[in-house]
Amino acid sequence: MNLGFIGLGVMGRPMALRLASAGTALVVWNRTPERAAPLRAAGAEVAAEADEVFARAEVVVLMLADEAAVDTVLGRGTPALAARVAGHTVVHMGTTSPEYSRALETDVRAAGGRYVEAPVSGSRVPAEQGRLVGMLAGDQDAVDAVRPLLAPLCRETFACGPVPGALLMKLSVNLFLITLVTGLTEAFHFAERQGLDRRLFLDVLDAGPMASGVSRMKAPKLRERDFAVQAAALDVLKNNRLIAESAREAHLASPLLDVCHTLFEEAVAQGHGGEDMVAVLHAIETRTDQGA
């Protein structure tokens, strides 16, 4: 059985490559065709258009940037939706609002398809290594069918109940990630501007109880001022907004997230949206240099 995969961006392409390298019969499509070249070289079939993916695969994974991209690919709100999804399982792996996903599930079901929400925790490097953490929500039979297909991508998967349980879980995890990386970045800035040896500071951190997989991935990037993207600051800002919106709707306080939201807005406004999330360092440095 062919597996369809649409969306070959920063996360989608390494994920699709993992599937291809595991021997999955893969049919892929991307709006920008040149991004599919490595998939063709890895043995995947490259479709000329999105419709071809649905024609050739019963299960179609969507790893797309935002809600508008998902709607466009599915033809949501037009007769094309039913033509594409009837008899298919749509696996939504991107990060969107929980409310959007709930409504999308309703539309896919009404059009005769099945729907699984399957966001992942992890950035580009874990995607390349097949060490993402998958969260799945939807009808149990659909989740059970999709779960083994994601094994090449994920070191572990968790069933999170009905939609939008998986996206709410992902946003909860991302809240911790955003505040954690921002805190690490501010601590690095404090140590550096106090004249401490940057490498020594990070060695001390790594030897202690605050060390984590995240700190060990991001600390070298801070030390070397390496802002090559693993998780883009613009995407982090989008996630921050989604979490904040969900918090407001549930009447929840999110004080740390709100501070991070402002800092990432400043980093993006300064032109660092395409850089890794540790580029929030620029916003903190600017505040210091301006006497904040």
Side-chain angles (χ1 to χ4, degrees):
M1 180 184 72
N2 286 329
L3 175 65
F5 198 105
I6 296 177
L8 304 174
V10 170
M11 289 291 290
R13 185 158 68 174
M15 290 166 66
L17 283 168
R18 285 289 308 182
L19 290 167
S21 67
T24 304
L26 205 61
V27 181
V28 305
W29 180 80
N30 193 71
R31 183 180 59 181
T32 309
E34 55 266 26
R35 292 198 63 83
L39 273 301
R40 181 180 282 108
E45 298 183 46
V46 179
E49 55 187 20
D51 280 338
E52 184 181 345
V53 177
F54 287 95
R56 298 174 61 186
E58 293 179 12
V59 179
V60 178
V61 171
L62 305 179
M63 191 60 180
L64 297 164
D66 53 34
E67 298 167 4
V70 174
D71 286 349
T72 299
V73 164
L74 292 179
R76 194 166 174 223
T78 75
L81 177 66
R84 289 171 185 162
V85 308
H88 294 73
T89 299
V90 175
V91 184
H92 173 37
M93 297 194 74
T95 304
T96 59
S97 76
E99 294 74 19
Y100 170 84
S101 185
R102 185 187 285 115
L104 180 59
E105 179 190 39
T106 298
D107 287 354
V108 169
R109 284 183 175 181
R114 300 198 300 177
Y115 180 81
V116 174
E117 188 182 79
V120 291
S121 180
S123 57
R124 178 179 56 81
V125 172
E128 292 171 344
Q129 298 171 344
R131 293 186 58 78
L132 297 169
V133 175
M135 294 150 277
L136 291 83
D139 287 343
Q140 192 61 52
D141 59 344
V143 168
D144 289 344
V146 166
R147 202 169 187 174
L149 300 177
L150 304 185
L153 308 178
C154 300
R155 61 181 175 85
E156 199 160 358
T157 57
F158 295 90
C160 299
V163 172
L167 271 167
L168 287 170
M169 188 69 73
K170 168 71 184 288
L171 295 183
S172 300
V173 170
N174 278 7
L175 195 161
F176 181 46
L177 172 66
I178 292 166
T179 55
L180 179 67
V181 173
T182 305
L184 171 65
T185 304
E186 184 174 331
F188 176 84
H189 173 70
F190 177 86
E192 183 179 46
R193 293 296 179 101
Q194 292 285 3
L196 300 181
D197 181 290
R198 296 178 301 170
R199 186 178 296 273
L200 179 60
F201 162 68
L202 294 175
D203 286 346
V204 171
L205 176 67
D206 194 47
M210 285 78 70
S212 68
V214 171
S215 69
R216 290 177 177 134
M217 181 177 293
K218 297 304 185 184
K221 294 179 75 62
L222 287 166
R223 185 185 66 231
E224 304 300 328
R225 296 187 71 88
D226 169 18
F227 300 113
V229 67
Q230 292 173 337
L234 184 61
D235 291 334
V236 172
L237 178 59
K238 183 193 84 169
N239 276 263
N240 203 314
R241 287 174 176 152
L242 291 174
I243 301 166
E245 289 168 1
S246 290
R248 298 297 88 80
E249 288 171 6
H251 306 291
L252 302 175
S254 55
L256 295 179
L257 181 77
D258 296 343
V259 171
C260 295
H261 195 161
T262 301
L263 286 168
F264 275 95
E265 281 184 330
E266 292 172 11
V268 169
Q270 292 168 16
H272 304 292
E275 298 175 2
D276 189 73
M277 65 186 299
V278 295
V280 73
L281 178 64
H282 295 297
I284 297 171
E285 288 176 336
T286 298
R287 288 193 182 197
T288 292
D289 295 341
Q290 292 176 345

